[in-house]
Amino acid sequence: MSEERMLEHARPELAKASEDLQKFTMRESVVRFYARHEARLHHAVQASPQALACEAGCSFCCRQFEVVAHPFEVFEVQAYVTRHFTAAQLRGTIERATRNVNERKAATEAARLTLRPTCPFLVDHSCSVYSARPSVCRNYHSTDKDNCQKSFEDPFSTWPNTYADEVFHTAMGSSAGFKKAVEELGLDTRTYHLSSAFLEAMQSPDSAKRFKSGKRAFLKATTANFEAGAAS
Ligand code: SF4
C-alpha cells in the first residue's frame, strides 16, 4: 500500500527527470529536480490533515543519523562549498567530516548503531549548504518534536514514528523517481555517507570523472547499511 503511494509520486518524477537529463546537464537537472521536489512537498504539507512540528533551528535530523546522499547530490554540495565557503569555513567543515569518518572507523559494528554524528555542514543549528543540501535533507514530516528528541537521546528507544504520512510518501516517491532516472543512464546511484563522500569528492577530482563514465564514484567513502555490498 505505502509502496503504491510512493509510486504515485515516483512515476511523474521519473518521466520529468528522464526528459531533463536528455536536455540539461546533470547539475542543471538536479537543481530542477530539487525545485519540483520542494513544490511537491509544499503541496503535500498544505493538504495534510496532520500538523507538522518541523521548524527552523530544530536540527535533530542533522544530528540523529549519519546523513546520506547520492553522488549527484554530493557533487552539488561540493560545487556550493567550492563557490561560497571561505578558507576557514572549508577547514572547519573538513575537520568535522574527518572526525565523523574516524569515529565511524574506530567504532564496532554494534557501537555504530548508537553513533550520533553531527552533519559537518551544520553550523549553529543551521545548514551551511542550505540551497545545495541533498534531497533527504529537504524532507520534513515530523508531527512530534518531543519524539524526535527522545529518539535522538535514546538510540534504542521504541518511540513510535510520528510523521505525516502523505508528506513522507511524497518525499520518498519523488526522490526515488529522480534516482531511478539517473540509474537508467547507467550512473552510480549508491547511497553514501555524506561526510566520507564529500571528503573524497574534495580530495579526488577523479570521483566526478568516474561518476560521469558510469563507474563507482567514490572508492573509499562508506555506503549506508541498507545498500547491497555496503562498505562499512
Ligand atoms: S546537509 Fe544541511 S540539512 Fe542536511 S543534515 Fe547537513 S546540516 Fe542538516
Side-chain angles (χ1 to χ4, degrees):
M1 175 64 179
S2 59
E3 192 179 339
E4 206 25 65
R5 287 166 63 202
M6 270 175 54
L7 283 174
E8 265 174 44
H9 301 284
R11 286 191 192 103
E13 176 51 36
L14 171 60
K16 277 275 177 209
S18 302
E19 223 179 282
D20 277 4
L21 287 161
Q22 297 299 324
K23 287 193 216 154
F24 302 101
T25 65
M26 176 58 72
R27 291 215 33 224
E28 288 165 342
S29 300
V30 171
V31 171
R32 290 169 67 86
F33 157 56
Y34 285 161
R36 285 192 298 273
H37 188 73
E38 294 202 338
R40 283 186 193 110
L41 277 177
H42 180 73
H43 182 76
V45 169
Q46 297 298 309
S48 173
Q50 294 165 281
L52 292 188
C54 302
E55 59 187 2
C58 175
S59 60
F60 287 121
C61 289
C62 312
R63 299 180 286 139
Q64 182 107 269
F65 311 100
E66 193 139 2
V67 181
V68 292
H70 304 298
F72 55 84
E73 298 174 307
V74 176
F75 294 127
E76 205 47 38
V77 171
Q78 182 199 13
Y80 182 91
V81 164
T82 305
R83 215 174 319 128
H84 298 284
F85 275 23
T86 62
Q89 277 178 301
L90 181 58
R91 214 169 26 249
T93 306
I94 287 178
E95 273 170 23
R96 293 190 292 276
T98 305
R99 196 180 314 136
N100 285 350
V101 169
N102 289 342
E103 269 174 18
R104 182 179 178 80
K105 236 186 243 170
T108 61
E109 197 58 45
R112 280 181 192 155
L113 298 174
T114 61
L115 284 179
R116 288 288 182 261
T118 296
C119 176
F121 300 104
L122 187 70
V123 178
D124 296 333
H125 294 279
S126 286
C127 178
S128 58
V129 292
Y130 191 77
S131 63
R133 69 201 187 287
S135 62
V136 70
C137 303
R138 291 169 196 259
N139 305 345
Y140 53 103
H141 44 245
S142 173
T143 56
D144 187 340
K145 193 173 164 180
D146 286 347
N147 262 350
C148 296
Q149 180 162 1
K150 284 168 191 162
S151 162
F152 171 73
E153 287 168 354
D154 177 5
F156 293 114
S157 68
T158 53
W159 303 107
N161 275 336
T162 39
Y163 55 80
D165 241 28
E166 193 48 41
V167 181
F168 175 78
H169 287 103
T170 301
M172 300 311 280
S174 176
S175 294
F178 189 83
K179 179 186 168 194
K180 181 75 182 157
V182 176
E183 196 179 292
E184 285 182 352
L185 293 177
L187 301 177
D188 182 9
T189 55
R190 287 179 182 85
T191 308
Y192 293 90
H193 293 131
L194 182 57
S195 289
S196 59
F198 168 72
L199 286 177
E200 192 168 341
M202 294 301 288
Q203 288 157 2
S204 163
D206 282 352
S207 50
K209 286 187 203 146
R210 273 197 302 274
F211 174 68
K212 280 185 191 148
S213 64
K215 295 185 181 143
R216 183 181 180 123
F218 305 113
L219 303 179
K220 292 190 205 148
T222 50
T223 52
N225 285 339
F226 53 81
E227 296 267 300
S232 57

